[in-house]
Structures are given as C-alpha cells and as structure tokens.
Amino acid sequence: MSPLAHLSSTLSALRAKYHVALASDGVVHKFGGSSLADAERFRLVASILRERGDTRQIIVVSAMQGVTDALLGAAKAAAKRAPQWRAQWQTLLDRHLATASDLLGADHTDTHDWLHKHFADLADVLHALSVIGVAAPQAIDMIQGCGELWSSRLLAAHLAGDGKACAWLDAREVLVVRHAELGVDVDWS
C-alpha cells in the first residue's frame, strides 16, 4: 500500500473511532509553546477557540514554553548521573500542577492525578538513564514528547471544564515514527 493510501486509510479509521470528520468540515489550529506559556495564555487560546464558529476544531499544541528544553536538560543530567535531574523534574511537575490548579480551580483533581502518573513514569525513565549512564535515542524521543502530552491534556481539561465539547487524543496511539537516514519518518505499516 502506498504511503498516501495508508494515510487515507488511517484517517478513515480515526474518523470512525473518534466520530469526527478530520478537517473536512472544520479547522485545524496549531499553538506553539509561547501561546501556552502559563495559565493566562491557556485561557487566551481557549477564548480564541470559543470565538470560532467552526463546527469542528482540531487543536495541535506544543509543550509549554521552555518545557522541551527543560526535559532534554533533565535527560542529559540524568545520563551524566548528575543528581540535579531530580530538581529539574520537580520544577516541571510543580509548574504543570500549578498551571492545572490555576486553570481548573477545584476541578483539578483528575488532571493532577493524571499528571502525577505521567510524571512518575518520566521519573522512572530518567532514573533508568542515571543508572545506565547513557541517553538512549528512544528514551530521548519519549522524554521530549512529554511536554506536548501535558499541555494538550491541560488545554482539553480547561475546555471541558468550560462546558466545551472536547475529546483528547494521545497522538502516540495513532502515529508511529521511526528513525531514518534523513531524520524521522512516519511508519505507515
């Protein structure tokens, strides 16, 4: 099957699974890290989305500003067996929990629980890097993608808390990539 045919098949499966018409009767938005720097910026993004009249909106977000660099810094520190990776991890956790509390108020418990679970998983990976003393490429790929998951979850929770119909999707469930000679390629198989 050609890559284009496989993409079409994958999109059809996603439409069926999530009951949405992907961009065929809506709009796709992409918000970068500076658009999601803090709770106030999340609120601004949400207001932009609320003001749109589109039937369907698909939102793609980056990690909060500075988070990807902080994640990579923690991974490098862990791989060098430098103990400061734990403080870097804690700073990231605290920032995300504070943003969740600010955005969601009293309704933050589920999001906090989700964040704690995912940050615990990250701590396990960072600890493993500190034990083996090597930053394996697969681990770095996993680590640097965490920020997008966290910010997308925060935005989805905020939109849902405002009564906006919203479905959150972990892109890892539908998109598989592999390392290739010229960088990263989508695995269409």
Side-chain angles (χ1 to χ4, degrees):
M1 178 182 293
S2 75
L4 188 55
H6 194 289
L7 176 60
S8 177
S9 171
T10 301
L11 290 175
S12 294
L14 287 172
R15 283 187 193 103
K17 180 176 180 179
Y18 294 100
H19 308 289
V20 295
L22 297 176
S24 63
D25 66 345
V27 63
V28 177
H29 303 277
K30 168 61 169 82
F31 294 98
S34 62
S35 298
L36 304 165
D38 54 32
E40 192 54 41
R41 301 293 294 170
F42 272 90
R43 285 186 192 92
L44 179 59
V45 166
S47 72
I48 290 168
L49 297 171
R50 272 190 234 96
E51 290 172 10
R52 298 272 319 189
D54 304 289
T55 332
R56 299 193 193 280
Q57 297 182 66
I58 297 168
I59 300 104
V60 178
V61 297
S62 295
M64 292 174 68
Q65 188 171 34
V67 166
T68 301
D69 289 341
L71 285 164
L72 291 173
K76 287 178 187 176
K80 291 179 182 176
R81 298 183 170 129
Q84 71 258 29
W85 73 262
R86 292 181 191 280
Q88 293 168 310
W89 172 88
Q90 188 66 54
T91 299
L92 284 167
L93 173 60
D94 293 345
R95 179 178 178 193
H96 285 80
L97 292 174
T99 301
S101 294
D102 190 355
L103 277 175
L104 307 173
D107 295 330
H108 72 275
T109 304
D110 289 343
T111 302
H112 269 219
D113 291 347
W114 185 91
L115 286 167
H116 277 290
K117 185 224 177 291
H118 285 267
F119 270 88
D121 292 345
L122 172 62
D124 289 344
V125 173
L126 292 170
H127 176 72
L129 293 181
S130 73
V131 169
I132 62 173
V134 174
Q138 296 86 349
I140 297 301
D141 290 346
M142 176 263 170
I143 291 166
Q144 71 183 5
C146 289
E148 284 80 7
L149 293 174
W150 302 334
S151 61
S152 66
R153 188 64 178 232
L154 288 169
L155 183 59
H158 178 60
L159 290 169
D162 281 352
K164 184 99 170 146
C166 181
W168 179 77
L169 171 67
D170 182 340
R172 299 172 301 178
E173 294 177 9
V174 295
L175 183 65
V176 177
V177 295
R178 65 175 182 263
H179 290 279
E181 186 176 325
L182 298 176
V184 177
D185 286 335
V186 174
D187 183 353
W188 298 108
S189 59

